[in-house]
């Protein structure tokens, strides 16, 4: 199988889950395990570009496929992928444990729906649990990521603006993407 | 000072690492560690006749198997974190049970092997002969005391406490109107996305024990381990690395694994790790919120409360490792933002055969808030005023601070509200909520709360300007996602006049800062935030003095700024005596502490429009408004994140999540398949407004906000559903099924209407 563009042999143990293989054999610990029964989405990776739960797959099932993990989105410390950037700008993460799974789901979602409606956003992230954010900031991040991914389209989103300046302590309920002053 | 970072929406310093998958959570650490598994009791109450680990020990790949008798501390009861004189019958478990187990999930045997798979297989070979005993599973059955959880605790009562302000009996007697209510709130679970994990290594060469632990209090764990293992603290380091959410239950002294993993690492001379699985987390990790309240309230014809008498039982679980802080908080916070001239509260902390309880975000308050707010709604209905008006008439006014509630607080003082503007919270929330949306079965939910935040005793911080001009700072308390590395950098950067990006914060690593208490009780910003401020100011003063010595005649005229050059250009001026005068220390660094005189009292009002489908009883939250006051806001983006997350957790706890224990004490839904934590599809947009009444009790004027979002949500959902369906709501959690049952059953005597 290929993982983030590099070929790797399959694990010797045929019972090895893909999630455990990535984390413990390949050291790609960005893929997290929150439940190991397919509900939380923390372990989401891309298999040939589509999001899958790596805790519900055996590693050997990934033979012959392309696996992309969170580490593969912006390799080697290069500029953050637009989805990662959007999560940063919109405070889409707190503890960060669910985050790799969300980011991978959103990459998949936006590949399918580059301009998602509100319902498509909710549906697209409704396979991932987050216990910290209450999802509001993640929704904003998805909308923002759609904007960042379409640089040629004029920015139609209220989230694309400059954000608040340092002196602005107005209490708008966090509509704007945060910004470094 | 030119830039003020305090108050700005500074983006988070911790994000880049976490977004790239380079976070370091405890289970990410490997380094050739042996892996381990705990064998846990399947019974909620049973006598252990025998334990046979011979087959497990004989299995290839198994390195060690421990029972209580294999541990030097196996016969020692684990400590009570916060003892209290009223906790007359405190009981804690032992690291591994050997005689009696008192909840399903209690640890019995510890297996260490070359891999997790081998450890799990070996755990299956452990034979424990249990003799089941009668199970006491609800606080009500515990109070009936037909069976005992602990043979030597009569009535299953761990603690009892009565407090009274005024004369409640007389005031109830003379009140024009009077009502009785029965309220019931069930247990809930914090369920952080990262379950717990511990990794430990003993280095013979350095004579050092290094422990990575997903704890909310590494400093306490370090102290405890040092005592237990007979090591000086200097030989024990405890690090809480990235922690995937905490919400309370990740603080304990100790969970069994927090002793067993380091002990095994020392014994075996190899790193050992343990990572909890999700099912295990459901029963092995503390829970909270089970309480049953009997309320008598007296009021006048205008709906003003004259007397409030509450007698409640608290579901403590099988042991009291955390003391009785939860019912104490409930008792202290029941009156909320309202004047209650005569108030009596009695509680009994009951043992049950369920997982022990300790604070879960909100910690005693969501239930207190539910009781008070539901009572007020009922009073409004009785005297014929609307629900906002009944609150208006009872609220403490802005000119009444400091306001002494007259009952005891968790820090040993009495409850004294330091500042606030409660009427403004209410009016702003109503204004933001707007008119009732069209449609059938729409109801308004309303709830107000106060929260004593930032309890002591203290936190500290070390701030240092490096020779590069960059600044590093450290504090003892760890982060579980609260953006400590960002908000404290804002505080420090302001004092030193540097760019916030030039300040690097370390938290929760005893190698960098060995003193402290922990991240809980919405105390980080108040205690550690102010400690950062104090330490940074000390550094600034020192720098000014050095600068004055070196280049300037008048330190007052010196202003910070210019970042990287500031630190490197000082040449001490010639002066008599040694270059380092008496009492002076080298380096631009300082350690400062902050110890609050009392709690900083945050407050807020939540209001919602919601609709309940009359056929399916599906809940739809049409609008949800939060107006809150956490004093001065350091970073609105971070505060909004805390609120949004808290409200979502509250909605989950109010309508989706329920811990389904059966009468045998088995948790029947210990998975995310059946314990329904909400996804994005269940959580509405939250409309937030900040109101700032600075706390006079700390230099930054801040109050805590970590728990606030969750506190009134149960009350708001209950209130809204009652309004929408016209059925009395006196219990939490609800669900479509429960609403169906309540709607179809005959009205009961517990009506709040
Ligand atoms: S770990 Fe795979 S879905 Fe939860
Ligand atoms: S950010 Fe903590 S679980 Fe999502």
């Amino acid at each position: 199988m290929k993982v983030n563009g590099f070929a790797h042999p399959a694990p010797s143990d045929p019972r090895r889950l893909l999630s455990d293989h990535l984390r413990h054999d390949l050291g790609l610990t960005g893929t997290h395990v929150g439940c190991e029964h397919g509900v939380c989405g923390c372990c989401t990776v891309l298999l040939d570009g589509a999001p899958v739960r790596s805790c519900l797959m055996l590693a050997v099932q990934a033979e012959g496929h392309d696996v992309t993990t969170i580490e593969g989105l912006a390799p080697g410390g290069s500029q953050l992928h637009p989805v990662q950037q959007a999560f940063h700008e919109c405070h889409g993460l707190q503890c960060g444990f669910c985050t790799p799974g969300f980011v991978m789901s959103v990459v998949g979602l936006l590949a399918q729906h580059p301009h998602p409606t509100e319902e498509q956003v909710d549906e697209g992230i409704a396979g991932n649990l987050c216990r910290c954010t209450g999802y509001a900031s993640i929704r904003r991040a998805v909308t923002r990521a759609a904007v960042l991914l379409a640089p040629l389209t004029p920015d139609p989103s209220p989230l694309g603006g400059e954000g608040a300046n340092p002196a602005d302590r107005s209490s708008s309920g966090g509509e704007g993407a945060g910004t470094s002053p | 000072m030119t830039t003020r970072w305090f108050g700005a929406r500074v983006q988070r310093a911790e994000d880049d690492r976490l977004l790239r998958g380079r976070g370091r959570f405890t289970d990410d650490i490997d380094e050739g560690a042996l892996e381990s598994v705990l064998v846990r009791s399947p019974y909620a109450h049973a006598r252990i006749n025998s334990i046979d680990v011979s087959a497990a020990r004989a299995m290839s790949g198994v390195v060690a198997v421990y029972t209580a008798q294999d541990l030097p501390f196996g016969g020692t009861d684990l400590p009570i974190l916060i003892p209290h004189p009223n906790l007359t019958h405190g009981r804690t478990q032992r690291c591994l049970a050997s005689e009696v187990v008192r909840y399903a999930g209690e640890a019995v045997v510890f297996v260490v092997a070359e891999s997790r798979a081998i450890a799990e297989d070996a755990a299956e070979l452990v034979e424990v002969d249990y003799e089941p005993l009668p199970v006491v599973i609800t606080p009500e059955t515990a109070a009936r005391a037909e069976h005992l959880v602990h043979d030597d605790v009569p009535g299953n009562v761990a603690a009892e406490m009565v407090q009274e302000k005024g004369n409640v009996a007389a005031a109830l007697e003379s009140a024009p109107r009077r009502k009785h209510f029965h309220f019931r709130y069930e247990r809930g679970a914090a369920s952080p996305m990262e379950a717990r994990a511990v990794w430990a290594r003993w280095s013979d060469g350095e004579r050092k024990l290094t422990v990575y632990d997903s704890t909310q209090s590494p400093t306490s764990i370090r102290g405890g381990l040092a005592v237990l293992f007979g090591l000086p603290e200097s030989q024990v380091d405890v690090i809480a690395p990235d922690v995937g959410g905490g919400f309370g239950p990740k603080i304990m002294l100790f969970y069994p694994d927090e002793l067993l993993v380091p002990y095994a690492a020392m014994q075996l001379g190899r790193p050992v790790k343990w990572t909890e699985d999700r099912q295990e987390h459901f029963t092995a990790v503390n829970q909270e919120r089970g309480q049953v309240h009997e309320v008598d309230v007296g009021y006048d014809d205008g709906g003003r409360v004259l007397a409030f008498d509450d007698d409640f039982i608290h579901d403590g679980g099988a042991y009291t490792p955390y003391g009785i802080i939860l019912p104490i908080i409930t008792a202290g916070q029941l009156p909320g933002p309202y004047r209650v001239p005569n108030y009596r509260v009695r509680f009994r902390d009951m043992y049950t055969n369920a997982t022990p309880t300790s604070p879960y975000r909100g910690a005693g308050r969501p239930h207190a808030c539910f009781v008070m707010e539901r009572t007020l709604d009922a009073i409004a209905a009785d005297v014929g005023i609307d629900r906002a008006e009944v609150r208006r008439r009872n609220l403490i006014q802005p000119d009444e601070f400091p306001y002494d509630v007259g009952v005891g607080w968790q820090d040993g003082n009495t409850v004294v509200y330091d500042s606030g503007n409660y009427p403004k919270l209410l009016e702003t929330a109503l204004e933001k909520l707007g008119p009732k949306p069209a449609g059938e079965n729409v109801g308004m939910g309303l709830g107000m709360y106060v929260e004593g935040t930032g309890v002591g005793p203290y936190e500290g911080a070390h701030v240092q300007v490096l020779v590069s001009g960059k600044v590093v700072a450290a504090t003892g308390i760890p982060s579980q996602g609260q953006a400590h590395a960002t908000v404290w950098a804002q505080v420090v950067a302001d004092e030193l006049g540097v760019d916030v990006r030039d300040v690097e914060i370390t938290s929760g690593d005893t190698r960098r800062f060995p003193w402290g208490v922990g991240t809980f009780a919405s105390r980080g910003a108040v205690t550690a935030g102010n400690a950062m401020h104090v330490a940074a100011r000390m550094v600034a003063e020192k720098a000014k003095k050095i600068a004055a010595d070196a280049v300037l005649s008048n330190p007052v005229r010196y202003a910070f700024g210019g970042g990287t050059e500031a630190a490197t250009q000082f040449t001490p001026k010639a002066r008599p005596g040694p270059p380092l005068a008496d009492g002076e220390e080298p380096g631009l660094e300082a350690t400062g502490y902050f110890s609050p005189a009392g709690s900083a009292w945050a407050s807020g009002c939540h209001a919602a429009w919601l609709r309940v489908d009359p056929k399916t009883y599906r809940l739809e939250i049409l609008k949800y408004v939060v107006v809150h006051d956490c004093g001065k806001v350091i970073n609105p983006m971070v505060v909004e994140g805390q609120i949004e997350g808290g409200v979502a957790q509250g909605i989950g706890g109010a309508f989706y999540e329920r811990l389904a224990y059966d009468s045998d004490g088995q948790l029947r839904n210990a998975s995310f398949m059946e314990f329904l934590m909400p996804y994005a599809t269940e959580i509405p947009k939250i409309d937030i407004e900040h109101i700032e009444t600075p706390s006079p009790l700390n230099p930054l004027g801040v109050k805590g906000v970590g728990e606030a979002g969750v506190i009134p949500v149960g009350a708001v959902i209950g209130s809204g559903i009652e309004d929408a369906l016209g059925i009395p709501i006196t219990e939490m959690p609800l669900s479509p099924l429960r609403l169906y049952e309540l709607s179809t059953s005959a009205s009961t005597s517990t009506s709040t209407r």
Side-chain angles (χ1 to χ4, degrees):
Chain A
M1 78 183 82
K2 266 193 176 170
V3 180
N4 299 331
F6 294 97
H8 288 280
S12 52
D13 179 357
R15 298 175 308 173
R16 195 74 157 157
L17 294 176
L18 179 58
S19 50
D20 285 342
H21 179 57
L22 293 170
R23 288 178 54 74
H24 302 303
D25 301 335
L26 304 185
L28 296 169
T29 54
T31 300
H32 295 155
V33 172
C35 70
E36 244 176 342
H37 52 258
V39 183
C40 74
C42 288
C43 64
T44 305
V45 299
L46 301 182
L47 190 75
D48 302 327
V52 296
R53 287 163 199 259
S54 60
C55 78
L56 291 187
M57 270 184 78
L58 297 170
V60 290
Q61 290 176 287
E63 273 293 48
H65 295 276
D66 261 336
V67 177
T68 310
T69 70
I70 187 77
E71 290 92 343
L73 281 191
S78 56
Q79 198 183 3
L80 290 177
H81 182 280
V83 173
Q84 293 169 314
Q85 179 64 27
F87 269 69
H88 174 54
E89 289 178 15
C90 300
H91 191 25
L93 63 155
Q94 290 182 24
C95 77
F97 194 81
C98 69
T99 309
F102 266 97
V103 167
M104 300 318 277
S105 292
V106 172
V107 170
L109 162 70
L110 294 177
Q112 212 186 349
H113 303 290
H115 306 287
T117 62
E118 270 184 37
E119 286 70 35
Q120 286 169 334
V121 170
D122 274 3
E123 283 303 319
I125 58 173
N128 292 70
L129 285 170
C130 173
R131 198 56 158 169
C132 297
T133 63
Y135 304 107
S137 58
I138 295 178
R139 287 190 191 112
R140 293 193 281 268
V142 179
T143 312
R144 175 73 181 143
V147 172
L148 291 176
L149 277 165
L152 298 179
T153 327
D155 179 359
S157 159
L159 300 180
E162 282 301 296
N165 68 49
D168 178 9
R169 307 233 288 281
S170 72
S171 43
S172 65
E175 270 308 306
T179 185
S180 288
Chain B
M1 200 178 309
T2 46
T3 317
R4 187 140 163 84
W5 301 98
F6 192 109
R9 292 177 178 270
V10 176
Q11 287 187 343
R12 301 204 324 164
E14 38 277 89
D15 285 355
D16 191 79
R17 207 164 40 77
L18 294 168
L19 281 164
R20 293 179 188 274
R22 290 187 188 156
R24 197 176 202 221
F25 297 86
T26 303
D27 185 54
D28 298 344
I29 303 163
D30 194 1
E31 301 188 18
L34 298 168
E35 299 195 69
S36 59
V37 163
L38 279 159
V39 177
R40 297 180 181 279
S41 167
Y43 291 96
H45 197 189
R47 189 170 312 286
I48 296 176
N49 288 327
S50 64
I51 303 174
D52 181 358
V53 298
S54 52
R57 276 204 179 116
M59 196 175 145
S60 147
V62 170
V63 179
V65 180
Y66 299 95
T67 64
Q69 70 187 43
D70 302 312
L71 304 170
F73 47 89
T76 311
D77 293 338
L78 297 177
I80 292 177
L81 188 62
I82 313 170
H84 191 280
N86 287 71
L87 180 56
T88 50
H89 294 78
R91 297 289 181 272
T92 55
Q93 69 188 80
R94 294 181 178 169
C95 191
L96 293 172
S98 60
E99 291 156 19
V100 177
V101 286
R102 295 189 177 82
Y103 64 95
E106 188 166 348
V108 183
V109 177
F110 183 58
V111 181
V112 185
E114 294 292 342
S115 77
R116 169 106 186 202
I118 295 172
E120 282 179 7
D121 287 349
E124 303 246 307
L125 300 180
V126 169
E127 297 278 354
V128 184
D129 179 18
Y130 294 100
E131 179 187 326
L133 295 169
V135 170
V136 176
I137 197 63
T138 62
E140 291 99 328
T141 47
R144 284 199 291 277
E146 284 153 13
H147 302 290
L148 295 181
V149 176
H150 298 269
D151 285 342
D152 58 349
V153 179
N156 291 316
V157 179
E160 177 171 354
M161 192 164 171
V162 185
Q163 301 184 76
E164 181 161 4
K165 167 192 166 181
N167 186 336
V168 170
L172 276 176
E173 200 57 47
S174 61
R177 292 170 186 244
R178 187 174 166 166
K179 262 187 188 291
H180 176 84
F181 304 106
H182 168 86
F183 295 110
R184 191 168 199 279
Y185 218 104
E186 280 188 21
R187 279 173 174 247
S191 300
M193 295 314 301
E194 181 209 27
R196 295 184 48 261
V198 182
W199 182 100
R201 175 185 57 212
W202 169 256
S203 160
D204 248 341
E206 293 174 68
R207 307 227 30 93
K208 179 142 251 173
L209 177 66
T210 305
V211 180
Y212 284 81
D213 185 346
S214 62
T215 177
Q216 295 174 233
S217 179
T219 47
S220 314
I221 296 290
R222 178 198 200 216
L225 288 177
V227 170
L228 202 75
F229 296 157
L231 295 169
E233 280 95 320
S234 58
Q235 287 179 15
V236 183
D237 285 321
V238 178
I239 300 126
D242 287 319
V243 176
F247 315 117
K250 283 186 180 171
I251 186 166
M252 262 284 271
L253 197 68
F254 300 85
Y255 284 109
D257 44 89
E258 289 175 306
L259 296 177
L260 292 165
V261 173
Y263 178 72
M266 292 177 73
Q267 286 284 303
L268 303 173
R270 287 177 63 182
V272 177
K273 78 191 277 190
W274 171 83
T275 301
E276 191 175 58
D277 75 22
R278 182 52 63 181
Q279 186 188 11
E280 208 176 7
H281 184 89
F282 268 102
T283 56
V285 169
N286 294 355
Q287 305 165 350
E288 200 222 314
R289 302 236 205 284
Q291 287 181 354
V292 182
H293 291 250
E294 303 293 339
V295 171
D296 284 291
V297 63
Y299 47 100
D300 67 15
D301 294 334
R304 283 172 205 87
V305 173
L306 302 172
F308 197 97
D309 191 4
D310 186 11
D311 190 348
F312 74 93
I313 49 177
H314 173 83
D315 178 357
Y319 301 98
T320 49
Y322 219 91
I324 51 171
I325 207 74
L326 291 166
I328 288 177
I329 294 174
T330 303
Q333 295 227 199
L334 258 158
Y338 310 107
R339 286 195 209 103
V340 180
N342 297 281
Y343 173 50
R344 193 185 90 108
V345 58
R346 169 193 184 228
F347 71 74
R348 284 168 296 154
D349 190 322
M350 310 303 303
Y351 284 114
T352 57
N353 288 119
T355 303
T357 60
S358 69
Y360 158 35
R361 198 178 204 170
R365 300 171 182 94
H367 6 358
C369 181
F370 184 78
V371 168
M372 192 66 193
E373 296 295 315
R374 299 278 49 232
T375 300
L376 285 175
D377 286 352
I379 292 175
D382 185 48
V383 302
I385 55 178
D386 77 32
R387 287 183 284 169
E389 185 57 27
V390 77
R391 287 170 173 79
R392 229 171 252 136
R393 292 182 188 179
N394 283 287
L395 283 176
I396 296 161
Q397 297 301 303
D399 58 1
E400 292 181 79
F401 294 95
Y403 185 92
D404 189 344
V405 177
V407 291
W409 185 230
Q410 54 171 320
D411 60 5
N413 299 316
T414 58
V415 173
V416 179
Y417 301 159
D418 58 336
S419 66
N421 188 341
Y422 306 153
K424 187 171 175 189
L425 297 169
L426 175 64
E427 302 308 333
T428 312
L430 293 170
E431 202 177 296
K432 283 179 84 78
L433 184 65
K436 184 173 184 170
E440 300 278 290
N441 297 98
V442 174
M444 183 178 85
L446 192 59
M448 298 188 70
Y449 68 92
V450 295
E451 184 197 356
T453 72
V455 290
Y458 77 93
E459 289 298 337
H462 175 255
V463 173
Q464 180 178 14
V465 182
L466 302 176
V467 286
S468 64
K470 305 264 191 225
V471 179
V472 291
T475 181
I477 70 171
S479 169
Q480 304 91 41
Q482 300 93 331
H484 290 177
T486 306
V487 292
W488 293 334
Q490 291 176 251
V491 170
V492 170
D494 270 354
E495 280 309 311
L496 297 180
V498 298
D499 191 294
V500 73
R501 282 159 294 210
D502 286 336
V503 182
E504 192 184 305
I505 304 283
T506 303
S507 62
D509 183 339
T510 62
R511 296 171 301 187
R512 292 290 308 283
F513 200 87
W515 294 104
V517 185
T519 305
F520 60 94
S522 304
R523 65 190 294 280
V526 175
T527 55
N530 278 290
M532 285 283 175
H533 169 80
V534 169
R537 176 153 292 186
M538 288 162 73
V539 172
E541 291 304 324
K542 189 172 180 182
K544 284 180 196 169
K545 204 159 153 266
I546 295 170
D549 262 4
V551 289
L552 297 167
S553 55
N554 180 359
V556 181
R557 286 203 345 247
Y558 182 85
F560 272 91
T564 55
E565 282 159 75
T568 55
Q569 297 183 337
F570 302 131
T571 317
K573 185 170 73 173
R575 60 177 182 187
L580 207 55
D582 225 16
E584 277 185 356
E585 290 170 9
L588 269 183
E589 62 180 308
T591 300
Y593 293 89
F594 179 73
S595 180
S599 280
W601 287 80
S603 53
C605 181
H606 291 199
W609 290 118
L610 52 84
R611 181 189 293 134
V612 183
D613 186 298
K615 287 214 180 68
T616 64
Y617 294 98
R618 183 172 164 267
L619 174 70
E620 195 186 346
I621 299 173
L622 306 170
K623 184 159 189 182
Y624 201 103
V625 169
V626 174
V627 180
H628 82 108
D629 176 359
C630 67
K632 301 296 280 179
V633 174
I634 304 175
N635 185 328
M637 179 187 84
V638 169
V639 167
E640 283 150 17
Q642 289 295 313
I643 299 277
E644 287 167 340
V647 172
Q649 217 162 13
I651 291 171
F655 203 75
Y656 299 98
E657 300 159 18
R658 178 166 180 263
L659 291 170
Y661 278 96
D662 67 14
S663 55
D664 291 332
Q666 299 294 330
L667 182 60
R668 304 309 295 255
N669 61 341
S671 89
F672 284 161
M673 292 289 276
E674 294 137 312
F675 179 80
L676 302 176
M677 274 164 50
Y679 289 106
T681 34
E682 282 73 49
I683 302 301
K685 178 181 178 318
I686 318 284
D687 217 335
I688 302 172
E689 179 140 343
H690 310 286
I691 284 177
E692 295 188 354
T693 60
S695 171
L697 300 181
N698 66 75
L700 295 176
V702 296
K703 304 172 181 178
V705 72
E707 297 170 275
V710 85
I711 295 171
V713 181
V716 171
I717 301 289
S719 164
I721 290 176
E722 181 173 292
D723 194 34
L725 294 182
I727 52 170
I729 299 296
T730 58
E731 62 184 55
M732 273 284 135
L734 300 167
S735 64
L737 175 62
R738 187 63 188 143
L739 289 184
Y740 168 75
E741 290 169 354
L742 289 171
S743 297
T744 49
S745 73
S747 65
T748 67
S749 59
T750 59
S751 166
T752 62
R753 292 223 139 176

